[in-house]
Amino acid sequence: VDRIVKIADRIELEAGEVFIREGDFDESIYLIETGQVEVERGGITVGTIEAGDVVGEIAFIDRRPRTATVQTCCTCVLLRVDRPDLLRELSDDPDLLMEFVHAVENRRRVHVESGSEVTLDKFLSSVTEEAISHRAIHHPYLLALRNGELPDMKWALADFARQYHGYSSHFPRYLTTVIARLELSEHRAALMENLTEEAGIYEQGELEELAEIGVEKEWVDGIPHPALFRRFCMAAGIEDSGAQNDSVEVICWREMFLAVLSGGSTAEALGALGLGTEAVVSTMYQHFLPALEILKVPPSQTVFFPLHAAVDDHHQETLRDISRHYAGTEAGRTDLLKGMRKALALRAGFWDWLYLRAQTLGACDRNSTTTFGA
């Protein structure tokens, strides 16, 4: 306490003043010198904290948005210390620093035992299950591909290759859009690792895992994922898959998805890219694997699909951990869910269009003046 007093800002507040607001991002911790404060979560009072105790410890330890709103119940005197300042002050005494961190961590465990963290994990599990069960992931088009039930399977695979390339080739752009929006450097660094995989750079352990599922190192090492998809396009008989051939439906999907990633909150962007995309890819691409046998090409030519069914599980874990950071508030949970549902709705609409094209061998678009490269 003496060290806190030495560097803290003393704040005097009247009754009813809010000094921590749910959803805000800051890393200050407060020691209540006199008075009493009230804690609200989602507009509901969940408890009070008395003089001599601390508040703000969850954001201090976990470095995530505030999980509750805190306001004074009466005239209060608070000591406010920013996280970097306190860590710097205690850096000359490792034992004291460790004791302080343990004390604050014990405070955080009280919240875990009270159910707030359990609720958070249940939320993420629930929305992930919703995403995996969504129509976009088990669309009739995907099931028809898997079961060989389309009128001309080779035509359908070639059409998928031509159209989907205009979305998938922009994945590094989607990833960098989200990276640029993250507040914490460690979150940005974690997603940068995903970006290096998109560029075809893998650690030895990842290459060994891929080898276990039949993906040879020389098929993927050093080869960017867009190049792997172009390899699949060539195997499907599509030699020219450039942007000039993108259909208006592809352009709309890509631009609307980018609008979700860049236009809403950071939580919404994570919901779209993480829960609504990376969390479902490994399940969704399983539908393509049986259909690829129709092409009768070496597995190295279609490695894009088994590769993503494997490495995207790692991407999903990274994005889920980052999403957990933003799921501590009601607003954050709402935006994660909103972003996820937007991404899935966009994908389902794209599959609707491809399914109609596959059933009519493209005749549904032949008289359209707004579709290019059809």
Side-chain angles (χ1 to χ4, degrees):
V1 172
D2 288 341
R3 301 291 279 271
I4 290 176
V5 170
K6 177 182 174 183
I7 62 172
D9 294 324
R10 178 174 270 97
I11 305 171
E12 297 185 11
L13 300 177
E14 299 299 324
E17 291 196 55
V18 173
F19 60 96
I20 292 177
R21 193 173 300 277
E22 185 173 356
D24 284 357
F25 187 85
D26 72 84
E27 300 175 342
S28 299
I29 191 169
Y30 296 82
L31 174 66
I32 306 173
E33 192 172 71
T34 64
Q36 181 187 68
V37 302
E38 183 177 74
V39 181
E40 292 183 358
R41 185 172 292 114
I44 300 173
T45 300
V46 296
T48 58
I49 301 177
E50 306 287 342
D53 209 341
V54 296
V55 64
E57 74 284 349
I58 293 182
F60 185 92
I61 289 292
D62 290 349
R63 306 189 71 186
R64 68 183 193 212
R66 295 297 191 182
T67 61
T69 293
V70 186
Q71 66 177 355
T72 56
C73 300
C74 57
T75 301
C76 295
V77 176
L78 308 175
L79 299 178
R80 182 185 66 198
V81 182
D82 289 335
R83 187 178 193 274
D85 292 338
L86 182 55
L87 295 180
R88 192 179 302 112
E89 172 64 24
L90 298 179
S91 63
D92 63 343
D93 190 338
D95 291 337
L96 183 59
L97 174 59
M98 188 63 66
E99 184 179 346
F100 175 77
V101 171
H102 283 165
V104 177
E105 176 64 15
N106 288 336
R107 285 281 300 159
R108 194 185 71 85
R109 289 198 187 99
V110 171
H111 290 268
V112 175
E113 293 167 1
S114 69
S116 62
E117 298 290 319
V118 173
T119 300
L120 188 154
D121 287 334
K122 285 183 178 179
F123 165 78
L124 289 174
S125 296
S126 174
V127 295
T128 300
E129 182 60 33
E130 176 185 330
I132 292 174
S133 303
H134 196 277
R135 178 174 178 270
I137 312 310
H138 306 281
H139 193 279
Y141 170 70
L142 301 178
L143 300 182
L145 276 174
R146 184 189 68 189
N147 298 326
E149 296 172 346
L150 294 171
D152 187 331
M153 286 294 294
K154 285 189 175 181
W155 187 96
L157 280 173
D159 189 53
F160 165 78
R162 179 189 296 111
Q163 309 300 344
Y164 197 67
H165 180 265
Y167 164 82
S168 67
S169 62
H170 288 258
F171 197 84
R173 184 180 173 191
Y174 309 147
L175 202 52
T176 54
T177 298
V178 176
I179 289 171
R181 305 198 60 193
L182 298 174
E183 290 95 345
L184 298 183
S185 59
E186 54 262 41
H187 290 166
R188 294 193 293 272
L191 276 194
M192 285 297 295
E193 291 182 13
N194 290 4
L195 191 61
T196 61
E197 286 188 1
E198 288 292 323
I201 302 171
Y202 306 94
E203 295 180 357
Q204 183 58 37
E206 293 170 325
L207 290 171
E208 292 172 359
E209 289 180 20
L210 290 172
E212 291 178 1
I213 62 171
V215 174
E216 300 294 336
K217 176 181 178 179
E218 58 267 25
W219 298 354
V220 299
D221 194 26
I223 304 174
H225 290 185
L228 293 179
F229 193 86
R230 286 195 294 273
R231 187 189 293 174
F232 159 68
C233 289
M234 296 287 288
I238 303 299
E239 296 187 7
D240 186 2
S241 55
Q244 70 275 9
N245 293 318
D246 287 349
S247 299
V248 68
E249 287 82 358
V250 177
I251 296 170
C252 287
W253 181 22
R254 183 172 68 228
E255 291 184 354
M256 286 190 288
F257 187 58
L258 278 166
V260 175
L261 299 182
S262 61
S265 68
T266 304
E268 189 173 337
L270 284 165
L273 187 66
L275 299 169
T277 302
E278 294 283 46
V280 300
V281 164
S282 60
T283 300
M284 183 180 64
Y285 279 177
Q286 295 295 329
H287 297 306
F288 287 95
L289 300 181
L292 298 175
E293 298 177 6
I294 295 170
L295 299 177
K296 300 186 184 303
V297 296
S300 59
Q301 300 302 107
T302 57
V303 71
F304 177 89
F305 296 96
L307 170 69
H308 279 73
V311 302
D312 277 13
D313 283 343
H314 296 167
H315 296 186
Q316 173 190 346
E317 291 173 9
T318 299
L319 283 157
R320 181 186 170 99
D321 287 342
I322 299 173
S323 296
R324 194 176 187 278
H325 177 90
Y326 291 89
T329 67
E330 186 64 31
R333 290 190 290 273
T334 297
D335 282 354
L336 284 167
L337 187 61
K338 188 165 60 174
M340 179 193 79
R341 288 177 176 171
K342 285 181 179 180
L344 291 170
L346 289 172
R347 188 178 291 272
F350 184 73
W351 293 152
D352 286 341
W353 175 65
L354 279 188
Y355 192 30
L356 185 58
R357 282 180 58 83
Q359 290 173 315
T360 64
L361 301 183
C364 61
D365 285 335
R366 283 175 190 153
N367 296 323
S368 172
T369 61
T370 58
T371 302
F372 305 96

